[in-house]
Amino acid sequence: MTLFPTGHATHPQWRMACGLVLAQLRAQMTLPGYARAPTLGLLYITDHYAGDARAILDHLQAELPDVPDWAGTVGVGVCASGAEYIDEPALSVMLCDLPVDQCRVFSGVAPLPSGGGFTPHTALIHADAQTPDVADLIAEMAQRTRTGYLFGGLASSRSQVVQFAASGHGNVPGQGAAGGVFSGGLSGVALGEGVALVSRVTQGAQPVAPEREVTAADGNVLLALDGEPALDVMLRDLRISLDEPRAALDVVRRTLVGLASPGEQGVHRSGNFGADVIVRHIIGVDPGRRGVAMADYPQVGQRAAFCQRNAQAARADLMRICAEIREELEPAEVTATTAAALAAPPDEASAPHPARRIRGALYVSCAGRGGAHFGGPSAELQIVRHALGDVPLVGFFAGGEIARHHLYGYTGVLTVFVGQDDTLN
């Protein structure tokens, strides 16, 4: 098993940041246990560099000509192992050593072809939130994969929104002068069944009231829950009154709605949301119809629960998914040496241990979760590092997170690339 080289840096000048990243990547590629012939580069930049996206990709391709495929996007922040860069010029890169016949880079200009002997098993997706019907496009893309599982997120930027999708030492065939940098639509990497992954979703909001069935809705207005007017239910659940509008408004602004469809996992017995729940903003009320307007289109038969962002619950849930990933990857039978390595606290290791089988990780978190929400700068990524070890990691802070066929909000999607090692048994 080989690890994926990673590099990350911040600097006012993108060329200097790229130089620092390239130095890290090249140094790791000379070390035992790291991939020396990577085939896919994942590139994430903050929006400070959005105007230089084409130049950055061209520069990295020229400096790393043996890396044929590139994918990525822009975010208001980017992730690395134990570190996050928010509101500053930065980039984060990971070079993945994946079988070339198991990867297909695609974009809106060069879409994923049907047939040809390649059937996607999963796919890494980057998307522009301004694309019409983006949620439907994500669901359609999920249907084109064998597992129905996507992972990734919506680009987030206060300036230009860009995506990276380049293949074959340059452009994806058919993309013309785009040069591997795009705006709008979907792009990403379709992955075959030969690329082993483990992925989990962590929620950033906690229910503050019981889950109820949606019994009436009109467009984006939630009209009735369990047969009662939705506005009346919300006021009762939140213990507020329209007679005190200022106090009520403050509470409603902090409140969201979690939706789950029939047959999907809603609120656990523990009181936390399951992975199937999508969380949406409340955008207004309809006093005439006693309804609640939300940033989605609730359907009759879905289950809804009012919720609020909760930093303590978010930390606990992030630790939970990291523990689940570690448990799934740890072999049932191991040697005494491997057992000792697995039992050691991850943060005591100076480098990732092959017993954990993680070659690299991708973390996509909501732009509203970073920084102070977890208690301080880089706190969210420090939780991941403490739980998984100092594994290679990249990612970005998104305007919406993608997992399976869902488009989430206020969540984190953690995906690890899994390798095999003969020393495990």
Side-chain angles (χ1 to χ4, degrees), residues 293-338:
M294 55 184 294
D296 206 327
Y297 297 93
Q299 303 296 318
V300 172
Q302 286 186 309
R303 300 187 308 281
F306 295 106
C307 58
Q308 294 178 343
R309 295 176 61 197
N310 184 300
Q312 183 176 357
R315 286 194 295 269
D317 200 52
L318 180 56
M319 294 172 64
R320 175 189 62 81
I321 68 163
C322 290
E324 286 184 1
I325 289 174
R326 286 189 60 187
E327 182 178 355
E328 181 164 340
L329 296 183
E330 291 176 2
E333 297 181 4
V334 296
T335 64
T337 301
T338 300

Side-chain angles (χ1 to χ4, degrees), residues 7 152 182 259 305 318 359 363 400:
F182 303 91
L259 289 174
L318 180 56
R359 306 186 69 192
Y363 188 55

Side-chain angles (χ1 to χ4, degrees), residues 20-81:
L20 294 169
V21 167
L22 288 165
Q24 297 169 54
L25 295 172
R26 287 168 174 155
Q28 291 174 27
M29 290 169 69
T30 65
L31 297 175
Y34 280 83
R36 301 194 177 194
T39 56
L40 171 67
L42 297 181
L43 168 61
Y44 297 101
I45 63 173
T46 62
D47 52 1
H48 290 73
Y49 289 153
D52 298 307
R54 175 74 178 272
I56 291 172
L57 179 60
D58 287 347
H59 183 71
L60 293 174
Q61 287 180 307
E63 292 292 322
L64 298 167
D66 293 331
V67 181
D69 294 348
W70 290 85
T73 191
V74 62
V76 294
V78 296
C79 306
S81 180

Side-chain angles (χ1 to χ4, degrees), residues 200-220:
R200 292 289 187 276
V201 176
T202 177
Q203 297 281 3
Q206 188 174 38
V208 295
E211 190 177 39
R212 296 179 174 88
E213 182 179 350
V214 177
T215 50
D218 181 15
N220 70 327

Side-chain angles (χ1 to χ4, degrees), residues 52 68-69 187 197 219 221 252 296 325 328-329 357 364 408:
D52 298 307
D69 294 348
S187 68
L197 302 169
V221 180
V252 172
D296 206 327
I325 289 174
E328 181 164 340
L329 296 183
R357 299 171 56 199
V364 180
Y408 292 91

Side-chain angles (χ1 to χ4, degrees), residues 354-374:
R356 296 196 173 93
R357 299 171 56 199
I358 299 175
R359 306 186 69 192
L362 175 69
Y363 188 55
V364 180
S365 184
C366 177
R369 286 166 56 99
H373 182 62
F374 279 84

Side-chain angles (χ1 to χ4, degrees), residues 10-238:
T10 177
H11 197 280
Q13 300 178 22
W14 68 262
R15 287 185 180 275
M16 294 297 293
C18 283
L20 294 169
V21 167
L22 288 165
Q24 297 169 54
L25 295 172
R26 287 168 174 155
Q28 291 174 27
M29 290 169 69
T30 65
L31 297 175
Y34 280 83
R36 301 194 177 194
T39 56
L40 171 67
L42 297 181
L43 168 61
Y44 297 101
I45 63 173
T46 62
D47 52 1
H48 290 73
Y49 289 153
D52 298 307
R54 175 74 178 272
I56 291 172
L57 179 60
D58 287 347
H59 183 71
L60 293 174
Q61 287 180 307
E63 292 292 322
L64 298 167
D66 293 331
V67 181
D69 294 348
W70 290 85
T73 191
V74 62
V76 294
V78 296
C79 306
S81 180
E84 59 189 40
Y85 300 91
I86 299 177
D87 290 333
E88 58 183 325
L91 72 156
S92 185
V93 178
M94 183 161 69
L95 302 181
C96 308
D97 181 13
L98 302 175
V100 294
D101 62 341
Q102 296 292 307
C103 301
R104 297 288 189 277
V105 175
F106 64 90
S107 69
V109 177
L112 187 66
S114 300
F118 177 79
T119 301
H121 197 65
T122 60
L124 166 61
I125 299 292
H126 305 118
D128 187 336
Q130 299 304 314
T131 301
D133 302 320
V134 65
D136 293 337
L137 293 175
I138 291 169
E140 180 183 355
M141 184 64 198
Q143 293 175 357
R144 298 187 61 185
T145 66
R146 186 170 296 165
T147 62
Y149 195 94
L150 308 178
F151 61 99
L154 303 184
S156 62
S157 176
R158 291 157 295 194
S159 56
Q160 186 178 354
V161 176
V162 296
Q163 300 168 45
F164 301 105
S167 184
H169 299 282
N171 297 349
V172 174
Q175 72 185 16
V181 179
F182 303 91
S183 296
L186 304 183
S187 68
V189 187
L191 302 170
E193 61 181 349
V195 179
L197 302 169
V198 177
S199 188
R200 292 289 187 276
V201 176
T202 177
Q203 297 281 3
Q206 188 174 38
V208 295
E211 190 177 39
R212 296 179 174 88
E213 182 179 350
V214 177
T215 50
D218 181 15
N220 70 327
V221 180
L222 189 61
L223 293 175
L225 295 169
D226 283 351
E228 293 186 72
L231 179 57
D232 295 347
V233 174
M234 183 184 75
L235 295 175
R236 185 172 67 248
D237 285 349
L238 301 181

